[in-house]
C-alpha cells in the first residue's frame, strides 16, 4: 500500500474513535434530554388516560434527572 492510503486509514480510525467517544460518553445534557422525552411521554399517557404508563414515565424521568445532577 502506498503511504497516503495508510495515513488515510489511520485518520479514518482516529475520527471514528473520537466520534464513538463523543456519542458514548455520559454527560448531564444527555440525561436531561432523556428526562424531557420521558416526561413528555408521561404527559401524553396521562392525557390519554393511561395513568400507569404516565407514572412509570414520570419515575423514569426523575431517575434521569437524578443521574444528570450526579454528573454535574
Amino acid at each position: 500500500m502506498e503511504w497516503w492510503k495508510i495515513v488515510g486509514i489511520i485518520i479514518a480510525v482516529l475520527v471514528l474513535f473520537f466520534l464513538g467517544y463523543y456519542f458514548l460518553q455520559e454527560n448531564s445534557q444527555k440525561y436531561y434530554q432523556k428526562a424531557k422525552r420521558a416526561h413528555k411521554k408521561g404527559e401524553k399517557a396521562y392525557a390519554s388516560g393511561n395513568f400507569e404508563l404516565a407514572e412509570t414515565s414520570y419515575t423514569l424521568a426523575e431517575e434521569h434527572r437524578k443521574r444528570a445532577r450526579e454528573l454535574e
Side-chain angles (χ1 to χ4, degrees), residues 9-25:
I9 291 171
I10 291 172
I11 290 172
V13 168
L14 287 174
V15 167
L16 288 175
F17 174 76
F18 285 117
L19 284 175
Y21 177 77
Y22 175 76
F23 285 113
L24 296 176
Q25 75 179 2

Side-chain angles (χ1 to χ4, degrees), residues 17-48:
F17 174 76
F18 285 117
L19 284 175
Y21 177 77
Y22 175 76
F23 285 113
L24 296 176
Q25 75 179 2
E26 289 187 342
N27 65 27
S28 62
Q29 288 301 98
K30 288 182 183 181
Y31 279 100
Y32 281 127
Q33 287 297 325
K34 288 181 180 184
K36 182 179 178 180
R37 284 192 298 268
H39 192 88
K40 288 227 183 245
K41 182 179 176 182
E43 288 177 345
K44 288 179 183 178
Y46 188 85
S48 68

